[in-house]
Amino acid sequence: MLSIFNQKNLPVIIIIGVVIILLIIISVLLVLKSKKKPKEKIEKISIEILENLYQALGSKNNIKSIEKEQQRLRLVLIEPKKVNAKYLVELKIPAFLKGNELKILIKGQSNEVYEYINNKIKG
């Protein structure tokens, strides 16, 4: 009587079983990875918002310098009390003040905001 489950075929059957299990695990991981949330599209920031942000920071009279650090902007201010914190909250811009240094987090638009403010304080 022939049987595929005899002693000679046992190692082959084990290897085939392990390969099938690995294929199932890889398939499940690929499906889970593909179900991740798509990245949000970041809308271009308007000139009006840029100008309002610039004014909220106290404009040229209050900004001593500005530096870009990845998604953050570091501003050295002359008078931190002149910053309109309410407007930053309205725009949902996290801001951290330490002495005369204000760091603001601008996700995805830090280049545009940096260029705008830097041109305003230099021009």
Side-chain angles (χ1 to χ4, degrees), residues 32-59:
L32 291 175
K33 185 177 180 180
S34 68
K35 288 189 177 185
K36 285 185 180 178
K37 290 182 183 177
K39 288 186 178 181
E40 292 181 26
K41 287 188 176 181
I42 299 172
E43 295 180 24
K44 187 170 173 125
I45 192 164
S46 73
I47 297 293
E48 181 182 347
I49 292 175
L50 287 171
E51 183 60 31
N52 289 341
L53 175 61
Y54 174 69
Q55 294 300 324
L57 294 171
S59 71

Side-chain angles (χ1 to χ4, degrees), residues 16 18 25 27 40 54 56-59 61-62 64 81 91 106-107 109 112 115 119:
I16 291 172
V18 169
I25 291 171
S27 298
E40 292 181 26
Y54 174 69
L57 294 171
S59 71
N61 300 328
N62 196 37
K64 198 181 264 188
K81 291 181 181 180
L91 289 177
I106 310 286
K107 293 184 178 178
Q109 300 160 336
E112 292 87 351
E115 291 295 325
N119 289 338

Side-chain angles (χ1 to χ4, degrees), residues 76-119:
V76 178
L77 305 172
I78 297 168
E79 290 185 52
K81 291 181 181 180
K82 286 186 177 180
V83 173
N84 184 346
K86 288 181 183 180
Y87 187 71
L88 295 177
V89 170
E90 283 178 30
L91 289 177
K92 298 179 182 175
I93 296 176
F96 309 95
L97 181 65
K98 184 176 182 182
N100 284 357
E101 186 177 287
L102 179 72
K103 287 188 180 183
I104 56 176
L105 179 63
I106 310 286
K107 293 184 178 178
Q109 300 160 336
S110 59
N111 289 335
E112 292 87 351
V113 175
Y114 170 78
E115 291 295 325
Y116 186 84
I117 294 174
N118 196 36
N119 289 338

Side-chain angles (χ1 to χ4, degrees), residues 45 53 63 67 70 73 92 110 121:
I45 192 164
L53 175 61
I63 302 171
E67 291 180 28
Q70 295 175 347
L73 298 179
K92 298 179 182 175
S110 59
I121 63 174

